[in-house]
Amino acid sequence: MLSTATPAPIRTAALLAAGLLLLTACGEGGSTGAADGKKAEGFPLTLKNCGRTVTVKAPPQQAVSVDQGSTEILLSLGLADRLAGTATWSDPVMKGLEKANAGVERISENRPSSEKVLDKEPDFLSASFASTLAKGGVAPREQFEKLGVPTYISPADCVGKDNSGSGDGARTAPLTMDSVYTEVRELAQVFGVPERGDALVKKLRARVEKATEGIDASDASLLYWFSDSKAPYLAGCCGAPGVITKELGAKNVFDDTHEEWPQISWETVADRNPDVLVIGDLSRTMQTAESAEKKIEFLESNPVTRTMDAVKNRRYVLLSGQAMNPTIRTVDGLERVAAGLRDFGLAG
């Protein structure tokens, strides 16, 4: 689910020109990423990313990550010292990364202006969503690339996904964890630490295997609610919740829509009557019913929803917003949903 904060205006041509001069001057005397000042091995590095060719001349030393999912990957790779800033947070930082995150400046809780990003003099820019680096977001990728700042978007948001329409896009093919693993490995490669990427992917794969070992939830139906009580954003078939559902052998009651996060009426939700409600527990305050507490309060008081089996039996599984997006935290979501289904007696 994307941030819906109103973006700041795009930097004017004059400011962009000034930024170009600043970044050029910085690049002339800056670090190459190698301790002895020589060109780092494997660089320049060229990647194909979301329909663009990205060239990184040296391992970034002053990167900015403008989405939480991307930030947590970089922190997990031990790259906090090479982050000049982060932005767009829906949850507290992932457990175990608190100390690393504390040393990185948070330039905005929501999407930052391009001015704030360029003020950090970035040498690399990463994002989780195509809309973040597009018109209406922070700024289009080409504006940063004209300044010599390479940009990278999570493959999970563009591979097998159509972002041309309104809303959060639609899946043309089901998401798999391979897209997340690709992001981990490519970011590690960009920063010149490929072995760290391989190690992190290995850990994530092991957690998925452990969480799904011997489980059979084929008789359980699930609904994933990200945010908003007035016009709720609920998961379609094939995004990160689809990964969780498929791994567990369960059913998403809205697997008949390929939209990433369609807005669906509560009457329709009640009619489908899922066995379990997977609820986003967000710390942001952008829409109605962001926290799990507010969501549950709504469910148990609304005349349409309070008669649902999952509500009457309080079959709730609480997830961070990031666990419901295609990120490394999707694995955490899988673990929590699996545990919840077992606790409810809905999985063998």
Side-chain angles (χ1 to χ4, degrees), residues 177 181 202-217 243-250 328-343 347-348:
M177 283 302 295
Y181 299 151
K202 184 177 180 180
K203 289 180 181 178
L204 293 170
R205 287 187 184 277
R207 288 173 60 192
V208 170
E209 186 176 344
K210 182 177 180 181
T212 57
E213 185 177 5
I215 196 167
D216 178 11
V243 171
I244 296 171
T245 306
K246 183 178 180 181
E247 289 285 355
L248 299 176
I328 57 176
R329 278 220 238 179
T330 302
V331 177
D332 179 62
L334 173 61
E335 292 168 335
R336 288 175 180 268
V337 175
L341 290 174
R342 287 189 172 106
D343 288 343

Side-chain angles (χ1 to χ4, degrees), residues 139-163:
R141 294 180 76 173
E142 52 266 25
Q143 292 206 26
F144 290 106
E145 290 162 358
K146 286 177 181 177
L147 298 177
V149 183
T151 62
Y152 181 90
I153 293 172
S154 169
D157 199 52
C158 56
V159 175
K161 187 164 182 270
D162 180 5
N163 292 307

